[in-house]
Amino acid sequence: MKSKRTRPDPDPGPRLVPVRDELADAVHALGATATFLSLAVLFGPDALEQEWEFREGGRELARGVVLRAFHGGDAPSAAELRESASAQREAIRELAEGPAAALLPAALEDVPTEVLAEAGALLREAGLEHMELDVMLATQDEQGLVLAGVPVTPAQAHVWLLEPLYERLEAWVEGDDLLTLERAAARWYFERWTPAGRQRDHEFARGVREQEFALVDRPFLGLGDRTLLEFLYEDEEMEEFPARQRAMAYGLLGSVAGVWEVRERKGEEATFASPLDGATLRVCEHAPDTHYGAGALALGRLIPRGDGSWLRSPGMVVLAESDPDRPAALARALREMGDALPDALKVEAMITRLVSSTKLPRKVRPAPGKEEAAEALQMLPPLLLEAGIAREVGADELPPEVDRSQLPEGPFYDYEVDVAMAEWIGALNEQALGGASGGGAKAKKTGGKPRKKR
């Protein structure tokens, strides 16, 4: 079912719709879907292979619920919604034979609260994507389970849809063993440039910045040195994304991480300026309650909308600035760092220095323990060989400075990887051998890109 995106009524208050009849039937099917997705491993290999299809089926069903409940354009009829719900349940039951079948909720009343929350996430995504509504499941004393829909601005809808977009990208990476290991390396490498410990107020924004580095900026070796978004764009797989998430994915391809000075702020509009050349950007603020004004310092990512305006990443840090010279000083430092780090990590280092006295880069464990480090090291060679990144070599091909008497028996491998993977592999070696493991081997630079051969 295709739909037109429909703006909600101008009434700014929440709209409450009781979950009854066909809506209750569909939400029950969403509960069964959420149960299946959380326990797919118990349903056997066939279930795991079809997990993505059921997730997409749940998104389509959630779209129908939202359009039906809030009178969106091209909304399904009651019969069509019931039919979609029934088809989703039956498809799940076909895979839920034996004891696993008992895990599926028999009725809406049997859906656990935490599973309803997962169903609610699908409904929220559908509301933002198709109707510019922030939709949630809630319980009201008089009406029981209800759908609440609060109108949002286009900027809010787009920015809040980054979360399901990144979930799509993460799920795509998890389908490949080499990409999964590269994802772990990127996460570890990013952590080396963030403050130690965890501050709840900053955790969400830092998580967004980590995903931006790993999924937007860093080229994957397993994708031919292309970023994930570049790969999906060139292979036209982005065409399968919902419209708003596709627009955000395209925007991320042209996004920039840097330092800006806020020149002006009026409600949902702001002007950000480059501290060095004064070039200005018009920013549509997605969080109008965020308090900042002229003179503030903004560090993080801006995302183009395609109409000449920009969106502020939810990972951006905006600080009130009393020193008018600091923005320009930070921008010069960013430029003078050269190519040693990608811009996202330069900005992360600046944020860390502004909020803490942490010495960078930090020592971070590359794996939970020695066994996990050794397991990752065992997995890597065949994956690198298969991808054409590594080749097996004999002992006579090792560099002359290597002490062969201290080496175990082969095989040995020659490969070239980026600095994040190089230092991660070095840290894994240290950890597997019982060292403190946190830094990592230094990569040499070739062609302007940090590389390492072993």
Side-chain angles (χ1 to χ4, degrees):
M1 294 184 289
K2 300 287 185 181
S3 76
K4 302 173 184 177
R5 292 197 304 273
T6 304
R7 293 293 301 271
D9 296 334
D11 178 12
R15 299 159 63 185
L16 300 179
V17 179
V19 178
R20 297 172 185 161
D21 303 323
E22 72 276 6
L23 295 180
D25 193 34
V27 172
H28 170 229
L30 287 175
T33 302
T35 301
F36 169 81
L37 293 174
S38 63
L39 301 172
V41 67
L42 301 179
F43 290 85
D46 289 343
L48 290 172
E49 289 180 4
Q50 298 182 55
E51 183 178 355
W52 182 256
E53 294 179 25
F54 283 108
R55 187 177 298 278
E56 290 303 295
R59 286 188 168 110
E60 182 69 6
L61 185 58
R63 184 191 68 85
V65 170
V66 168
L67 293 179
R68 177 74 183 169
F70 297 104
H71 308 292
D74 200 23
S77 66
E80 288 173 333
L81 189 58
R82 285 188 183 276
E83 183 178 351
S84 297
S86 177
Q88 181 80 345
R89 274 193 302 266
E90 288 306 312
I92 292 172
R93 284 175 181 149
E94 287 180 5
L95 295 175
E97 298 178 355
L103 299 173
L104 296 175
L108 179 57
E109 295 75 20
D110 301 322
V111 179
T113 302
E114 61 274 15
V115 176
L116 270 181
E118 295 296 323
L122 292 173
L123 291 165
R124 183 172 192 261
E125 177 184 347
L128 294 171
E129 179 68 47
H130 300 287
M131 291 194 67
E132 291 176 9
L133 281 176
D134 190 10
V135 175
M136 63 199 77
L137 279 172
T139 302
Q140 195 180 57
D141 291 339
E142 295 180 357
Q143 302 191 71
L145 193 64
V146 297
L147 283 168
V150 180
V152 299
T153 67
Q156 287 172 325
H158 278 85
V159 170
W160 292 351
L161 281 167
L162 281 172
E163 183 174 0
L165 171 61
Y166 284 135
E167 287 176 358
R168 284 176 179 272
L169 300 180
E170 297 280 15
W172 201 95
V173 167
E174 289 173 2
D176 182 276
D177 289 338
L178 177 56
L179 301 186
T180 298
L181 290 176
E182 289 196 66
R183 178 70 183 87
R187 183 179 296 109
W188 171 82
Y189 195 59
F190 179 89
E191 284 292 315
R192 300 190 68 209
W193 301 96
T194 63
R198 285 290 179 263
Q199 298 169 304
R200 179 176 294 182
D201 291 346
H202 300 160
E203 187 69 10
F204 172 76
R206 179 162 47 183
V208 172
R209 297 195 301 273
E210 191 277 326
Q211 288 184 303
E212 290 169 347
F213 166 65
L215 301 175
V216 177
D217 289 344
R218 180 189 172 269
F220 280 81
L221 302 169
L223 298 178
D225 260 358
R226 290 176 289 178
T227 68
L228 178 56
L229 286 177
E230 287 171 343
F231 177 83
L232 295 175
Y233 173 73
E234 291 168 8
D235 281 30
E236 299 184 350
E237 295 203 27
M238 282 188 190
E239 296 303 315
E240 301 299 320
F241 292 5
R244 288 184 190 273
Q245 292 176 58
R246 185 167 63 247
M248 289 304 291
Y250 289 147
L252 286 169
L253 283 167
S255 64
V256 290
V259 176
W260 287 274
E261 181 183 9
V262 179
R263 288 284 176 83
E264 187 179 28
R265 167 75 187 281
K266 291 182 179 179
E268 297 176 9
E269 295 282 338
T271 301
F272 284 31
S274 167
L276 296 183
D277 61 16
T280 59
L281 298 174
R282 180 168 59 89
V283 176
C284 295
E285 178 55 58
H286 68 276
D289 293 337
T290 301
H291 299 292
Y292 68 86
L297 173 66
L299 300 98
R301 187 173 301 266
L302 291 177
I303 306 167
R305 298 185 68 184
D307 62 356
S309 66
W310 297 69
L311 292 171
R312 181 176 65 82
S313 163
M316 177 175 275
V317 172
V318 184
L319 303 171
E321 186 51 63
S322 57
D323 182 355
D325 297 326
R326 192 196 293 267
L330 290 176
R332 282 193 298 271
L334 188 69
R335 184 176 62 185
E336 291 165 1
M337 285 183 189
D339 294 329
L341 285 175
D343 285 348
L345 291 186
K346 296 177 195 175
V347 172
E348 192 64 28
M350 287 181 174
I351 293 172
T352 300
R353 292 273 167 77
L354 288 172
V355 302
S356 76
S357 58
T358 302
K359 183 179 179 181
L360 298 175
R362 294 196 299 120
K363 283 190 171 294
V364 180
R365 290 192 307 170
K370 292 176 61 175
E371 291 184 2
E372 291 86 352
E375 182 181 357
L377 288 170
Q378 289 178 339
M379 292 177 63
L380 270 169
L383 293 173
L384 293 173
L385 284 169
E386 183 182 359
I389 298 167
R391 68 183 183 93
E392 192 170 330
V393 299
D396 59 330
E397 296 182 76
L398 295 175
E401 64 269 17
V402 174
D403 184 356
R404 291 167 174 79
S405 65
Q406 300 297 315
L407 291 176
E409 294 185 6
F412 304 105
Y413 302 93
D414 178 79
Y415 57 84
E416 187 174 16
V417 296
D418 74 311
V419 67
M421 281 290 284
E423 295 196 6
W424 186 63
I425 292 170
L428 286 172
N429 271 302
E430 290 182 21
Q431 188 175 16
L433 294 173
S437 81
K442 291 185 178 179
K444 68 180 182 180
K445 291 176 62 178
T446 58
K449 293 183 179 180
R451 295 283 179 183
K452 179 192 174 185
K453 280 191 175 182
R454 186 175 87 182

